[in-house]
Amino acid sequence: TNKINNYDTDLFKYLFEKISLEIKSDVTSENLIHFRIISDHLKSIVFMMSEGILPSNEGKGYVLRRIIRRALLNVNKLKPQTIILNKLVDSVIEKYKGVYFELDKASLFIKNNLKNEEEKFSETLSIGLELLNKEIQALKNNNFKPDVAFKLYDTYGFPVDMTNSILAEKKIKLNLEKYKQIVESNKEAQKKTW
């Protein structure tokens, strides 16, 4: 097996084909990275959810939610407003159920909960991306205002790590220290209003 990397293996070829079918577009050298991230993350998602872990705001559930959202961001880059992750679950299960027998039993649980998370986040993603792009176009320099990043999160549920990774791709800086200060002072203000 003279494979150069993991992505040349059967599972990934298999998933790449399924993703291509779903988005009605082929793998190219430009979009290959998105196919890789989606396939890689999907494998983690299936295994985590097969253990009963659900997306949440803490612990393993938080890690799972971030993995799902990163996969969704990459789906969005291939074809905006597309919900396909749950449709790819069977491909992963098919590949591994001979070794991991519990995967088959968890199939419906994974697909339903993943679809639910995809639908919830898909809306947030399209609103957030639209607003983020408007803000980027209005920038006078390459520093993004932390209070705008906070507003995206606080008002629209758009995660700061996603904002930051999109900005980093465009070589725009976000001061995360200042962002954290805004989050903290906001928490304090909320405590006082209680």
Side-chain angles (χ1 to χ4, degrees):
T1 66
N2 34 3
K3 303 288 183 200
I4 298 163
N5 61 46
N6 286 344
Y7 300 107
D8 289 335
T9 58
D10 291 346
L11 172 75
F12 289 101
K13 279 191 181 143
Y14 190 53
L15 275 175
F16 284 11
E17 283 164 22
K18 297 279 182 199
I19 296 166
S20 282
L21 278 173
E22 289 293 340
I23 64 165
K24 295 173 181 53
S25 174
D26 294 327
V27 181
T28 64
S29 55
E30 279 80 51
N31 68 19
L32 176 63
I33 185 76
H34 305 308
F35 274 82
R36 285 180 169 177
I37 292 170
I38 295 163
S39 304
D40 193 48
H41 284 33
L42 190 70
K43 201 173 137 188
S44 303
I45 292 164
V46 168
F47 277 95
M48 286 178 83
M49 290 181 93
S50 75
E51 290 175 18
I53 298 167
L54 283 173
S56 70
N57 289 329
E58 53 215 27
K60 289 178 183 169
Y62 176 68
V63 174
L64 175 63
R65 177 163 278 161
R66 285 182 67 164
I67 293 171
I68 293 170
R69 287 178 172 184
R70 184 145 186 258
L72 282 173
L73 182 62
N74 281 277
V75 168
N76 193 74
K77 285 175 181 173
L78 292 174
K79 191 175 179 193
Q81 289 163 332
T82 310
I83 291 181
I84 63 167
L85 295 181
N86 66 88
K87 296 174 187 166
L88 302 168
V89 168
D90 286 335
S91 306
V92 178
I93 290 177
E94 201 49 49
K95 215 69 186 151
Y96 288 101
K97 68 179 186 185
V99 186
Y100 300 94
F101 309 113
E102 74 282 358
L103 285 180
D104 225 5
K105 288 198 282 281
S107 168
L108 210 59
F109 172 82
I110 298 169
K111 284 189 282 199
N112 290 342
N113 286 297
L114 183 53
K115 186 171 188 221
N116 185 25
E117 185 73 6
E118 279 186 273
E119 284 170 351
K120 274 195 316 205
F121 190 62
S122 196
E123 211 170 297
T124 301
L125 189 60
S126 55
I127 296 167
L129 283 172
E130 198 179 313
L131 291 166
L132 182 58
N133 287 325
K134 270 187 195 155
E135 292 290 344
I136 290 169
Q137 279 157 11
L139 278 182
K140 302 276 183 277
N141 54 31
N142 70 341
N143 289 312
F144 196 81
K145 288 183 181 151
D147 55 320
V148 177
F150 178 72
K151 184 185 169 193
L152 276 169
Y153 169 70
D154 195 44
T155 313
Y156 304 100
F158 199 74
V160 71
D161 54 321
M162 202 160 272
T163 298
N164 200 28
S165 83
I166 292 164
L167 292 173
E169 277 174 24
K170 299 178 188 290
K171 312 247 183 298
I172 298 169
K173 292 182 189 78
L174 170 63
N175 184 331
L176 286 171
E177 281 308 307
K178 274 216 173 95
Y179 174 84
K180 282 175 191 154
Q181 284 166 11
I182 295 168
V183 172
E184 283 310 312
S185 61
N186 202 63
K187 276 183 190 163
E188 286 306 312
Q190 279 180 338
K191 274 183 196 163
K192 282 179 184 143
T193 58
W194 292 342

